[in-house]
Amino acid sequence: MDSQLSPPGSPKNVVAMTPHQTELRVQTRGRGFHEITREVATWVRGTGIETGLCTLFLRHTSASLVIQENADPDVRRDFDTYFADLVPDGWRRFIHTAEGDDDMPAHIMSAMMGVHLSIPIRDGELALGTWQGIYVWEHRKTPHARQVVVHGAGI
Amino acid sequence: MDSQLSPPGSPKNVVAMTPHQTELRVQTRGRGFHEITREVATWVRGTGIETGLCTLFLRHTSASLVIQENADPDVRRDFDTYFADLVPDGWRRFIHTAEGDDDMPAHIMSAMMGVHLSIPIRDGELALGTWQGIYVWEHRKTPHARQVVVHGAGI
Amino acid sequence: MDSQLSPPGSPKNVVAMTPHQTELRVQTRGRGFHEITREVATWVRGTGIETGLCTLFLRHTSASLVIQENADPDVRRDFDTYFADLVPDGWRRFIHTAEGDDDMPAHIMSAMMGVHLSIPIRDGELALGTWQGIYVWEHRKTPHARQVVVHGAGI
């Protein structure tokens, strides 16, 4: 493991350590993946952070934030097929059913996949792998307005 | 996406960037959800951080940290029902059984749900959504003493 | 919850807040757990950070970063058995099959378990629990070269 220690801080660096924050609003079209990689990457560039950390936080309990393959759309279709089978809508043993037969599956998938991501910033860019995209994964069947708080800190 | 860049750092801000850390001890009552939202929110206010990031880390491999709906308790009951079915205690193919028939399911759920959370701090408060609560999810059947390291950084 | 607020920043502390970053390259031997705790712990000590946060990010979509029990190897064998059953290779309903019958299961497990970890640094060490190890969990059947970006910030 090659350690690339950052150069000693200077007054200029210290000032730039001030955190940056914004909110991204995402209108989903119902169950499925909504890519936000470009929006987040553009915002990170605008902060001027060269070395740092970008954290995304989704303010909901029935959708997720995930990193997944951004190449073959069949991958995301298989995700939908697999999870519809693993966490079936309207499972007979669910008792929280008042908000729809897709609500408990959405809560469960939100807990499984999670609602936050932390991605290092390196050389002024998100250090994503070649095939990694950032997605809001909507678990409800109907369109929803989703909020993602984006936080960046670094120098 | 509206970018709300923080104001340029001042000497005062730089001093406040010092990280804050504490440990929260949670006594669980066996399998189920133990809410810690209030304790974490109170601690964050005490740090005086206006814009920053709060990270929680659970120091165990048989419980999880999750964000879930804090309104209808039936949601959490359905979580218990669903996961008891998905990761059954005493599954015949488990070989690590010396610590109890609920130990391997607990390890698996801990890996699935995860043991860390990162939540932005905005305007001096955790940027949680309206229905989001922070929970230690105990996966063992018996009560346990759990430790959560809480880290805050910002200005 | 005892709050252990850090001492007010001094010019020396402020300089040390500069973030540190490196990349860890991990050669996996096919499906299974590859422990990296020692490498990460050594790097953290080298940064000189006393109080801070270490974030790990895996740049791939068919492996995961997890924290799991580092004691009984049977635990990790049971993980393999359980997930081979939960997300079976070559499931008949997968359509993304061109990259092998283990590729979609790998993507699904990567999304479930996640590709990032954030661990507080306390008294100059990772604040891991006694039984917690950090693992790259390879989900593909063949060996792969995996990259983990390691980010540290603190004082």
Side-chain angles (χ1 to χ4, degrees):
Chain A
M1 178 159 55
D2 300 323
S3 179
Q4 303 164 315
L5 298 188
S6 306
S10 67
K12 179 175 155 291
N13 287 351
V14 168
V15 169
M17 194 73 192
T18 306
H20 300 260
Q21 229 174 61
T22 191
E23 186 170 296
L24 175 60
R25 283 153 198 273
V26 177
Q27 180 61 48
T28 67
R29 295 170 302 272
R31 194 168 277 176
F33 290 82
H34 185 108
E35 185 160 15
I36 59 171
T37 315
R38 191 173 308 179
E39 289 88 333
V40 179
T42 301
W43 181 80
V44 163
R45 275 180 222 119
T47 64
I49 297 171
E50 277 294 307
T51 303
L53 190 68
C54 177
T55 298
L56 311 179
F57 182 80
L58 180 73
R59 305 181 71 224
H60 307 275
T61 62
S62 54
S64 301
L65 278 176
V66 291
I67 286 182
Q68 254 309 306
E69 218 213 55
N70 56 11
D72 182 358
D74 282 352
V75 169
R76 297 189 294 282
R77 221 169 307 157
D78 280 350
F79 265 92
D80 292 334
T81 308
Y82 176 80
F83 280 95
D85 186 77
L86 187 71
V87 197
D89 288 343
W91 190 47
R92 61 183 173 75
R93 294 179 60 193
F94 287 139
I95 57 176
H96 172 81
T97 54
E99 296 175 47
D101 71 352
D102 61 330
D103 192 53
M104 265 316 299
H107 288 313
I108 287 170
M109 291 174 67
S110 178
M112 267 187 185
M113 256 59 75
V115 294
H116 67 108
L117 294 173
S118 287
I119 308 167
I121 301 167
R122 186 163 68 172
D123 302 327
E125 301 277 348
L126 290 168
L128 290 169
T130 312
W131 310 109
Q132 289 184 314
I134 308 170
Y135 296 89
V136 172
W137 188 358
E138 175 63 70
H139 301 313
R140 299 302 308 269
K141 288 190 286 192
T142 50
H144 280 72
R146 302 300 195 178
Q147 301 160 32
V148 180
V149 180
V150 186
H151 179 85
I155 58 165
Chain B
M1 177 160 55
D2 301 324
S3 179
Q4 303 166 318
L5 298 188
S6 307
S10 67
K12 176 174 157 292
N13 287 350
V14 167
V15 169
M17 193 74 192
T18 304
H20 300 260
Q21 228 174 63
T22 191
E23 186 171 296
L24 176 59
R25 284 153 199 274
V26 176
Q27 180 60 48
T28 68
R29 296 170 303 272
R31 194 168 276 177
F33 291 82
H34 185 109
E35 186 160 16
I36 58 171
T37 316
R38 190 174 309 180
E39 290 88 333
V40 179
T42 302
W43 181 80
V44 164
R45 276 179 220 118
T47 64
I49 296 171
E50 277 294 307
T51 304
L53 190 68
C54 177
T55 298
L56 310 178
F57 182 80
L58 180 73
R59 304 182 73 225
H60 308 275
T61 61
S62 55
S64 303
L65 279 177
V66 291
I67 286 183
Q68 254 309 307
E69 218 212 57
N70 57 10
D72 182 359
D74 283 353
V75 169
R76 297 189 294 280
R77 221 169 307 159
D78 281 350
F79 264 92
D80 291 334
T81 308
Y82 176 80
F83 280 96
D85 186 77
L86 187 71
V87 197
D89 287 343
W91 190 47
R92 61 180 172 78
R93 293 180 59 194
F94 287 139
I95 58 176
H96 172 81
T97 55
E99 295 175 48
D101 71 352
D102 60 329
D103 192 53
M104 265 316 300
H107 288 312
I108 287 170
M109 290 174 68
S110 178
M112 267 188 184
M113 256 60 75
V115 293
H116 67 108
L117 294 172
S118 286
I119 307 166
I121 301 167
R122 185 163 68 171
D123 302 327
E125 300 278 347
L126 290 168
L128 291 168
T130 312
W131 310 108
Q132 288 184 314
I134 307 171
Y135 296 89
V136 171
W137 188 359
E138 176 63 70
H139 300 313
R140 298 303 307 270
K141 288 189 288 192
T142 49
H144 280 72
R146 302 301 195 178
Q147 301 160 30
V148 180
V149 180
V150 187
H151 178 86
I155 58 165
Chain C
M1 178 162 51
D2 299 324
S3 178
Q4 302 165 317
L5 297 189
S6 306
S10 67
K12 176 175 156 290
N13 286 351
V14 167
V15 170
M17 193 75 193
T18 305
H20 300 260
Q21 230 174 60
T22 191
E23 186 171 296
L24 176 58
R25 284 154 198 273
V26 177
Q27 180 61 49
T28 68
R29 296 170 303 272
R31 195 169 275 176
F33 290 81
H34 185 110
E35 184 159 16
I36 58 171
T37 316
R38 190 175 308 179
E39 288 89 331
V40 179
T42 301
W43 181 79
V44 163
R45 275 179 222 119
T47 64
I49 297 171
E50 277 295 307
T51 303
L53 190 67
C54 178
T55 298
L56 310 179
F57 181 80
L58 179 72
R59 304 181 73 225
H60 308 275
T61 61
S62 55
S64 301
L65 279 176
V66 291
I67 286 182
Q68 254 310 306
E69 218 211 58
N70 56 11
D72 183 357
D74 283 352
V75 168
R76 297 189 294 281
R77 219 169 309 158
D78 280 351
F79 265 91
D80 292 334
T81 308
Y82 177 80
F83 280 95
D85 186 76
L86 187 70
V87 197
D89 288 342
W91 191 46
R92 61 182 173 75
R93 293 179 61 194
F94 287 140
I95 57 176
H96 172 81
T97 55
E99 296 175 47
D101 71 352
D102 60 329
D103 191 53
M104 265 316 300
H107 288 314
I108 288 170
M109 290 174 67
S110 178
M112 267 188 183
M113 256 60 73
V115 293
H116 67 109
L117 294 172
S118 287
I119 307 167
I121 300 167
R122 186 163 69 172
D123 301 328
E125 300 277 348
L126 290 168
L128 290 169
T130 311
W131 309 108
Q132 289 184 314
I134 309 172
Y135 296 89
V136 171
W137 188 358
E138 176 62 69
H139 301 313
R140 299 303 306 270
K141 288 189 287 192
T142 50
H144 280 71
R146 303 300 195 177
Q147 300 160 31
V148 179
V149 180
V150 186
H151 179 86
I155 58 165

